[in-house]
Amino acid sequence: MSDIPSIAVTDLADDATVVDVREPEEWAAGHAPGAVHLPLGDLPARIDELPETPASLAVVCRSGGRSGRAVEWLVQQGFDVVNVDGGMQAWDRAGKPLVGGADGQDPSVL
């Protein structure tokens, strides 16, 4: 997977456009503010929902595996995308903001 473009969570701009490819229950528990939710299995059918942005799209999952596969596929489709190293677990460890939280719970990363 070393040929997949990636970025460290700490190098991600605060206003970066983030595409979250986790499952709905993971998304509901907590996600990056302003992120776009496109579960990995839905991505091919919903590719037209990817936001247009002047910079690379940052793709994230829980730990970086699913988003790595998404980035690999999206690069083949001609998109300018990067995988967020360590996924939402790294995002949370870095102290980046989370929103969401199912059933009134504080946002968290499942």
Side-chain angles (χ1 to χ4, degrees):
M1 277 188 5
S2 58
D3 58 340
I4 294 174
S6 62
I7 189 168
V9 109
T10 51
D11 293 337
L12 201 55
D14 288 341
D15 63 348
T17 304
V18 176
V19 176
D20 192 322
V21 297
R22 295 177 301 155
E23 293 301 308
E25 62 275 5
E26 294 174 289
W27 166 266
H31 54 270
V36 175
H37 185 223
L38 290 173
L40 182 60
D42 296 350
L43 194 55
R46 295 175 60 192
I47 195 168
D48 59 332
E49 294 178 40
L50 285 170
E52 291 187 25
T53 175
S56 298
L57 281 174
V59 183
V60 71
C61 66
R62 182 174 181 261
S63 63
R66 286 172 284 177
S67 55
R69 291 196 302 276
V71 165
E72 190 173 36
W73 185 78
L74 287 167
V75 165
Q76 292 172 352
Q77 309 309 310
F79 285 89
D80 182 11
V81 290
V82 293
N83 189 28
V84 178
D85 284 335
M88 288 303 295
Q89 290 175 327
W91 179 282
D92 193 32
R93 282 193 304 272
K96 293 233 178 211
L98 285 172
V99 295
D103 300 323
Q105 301 293 314
D106 286 335
S108 63
V109 176
L110 293 181

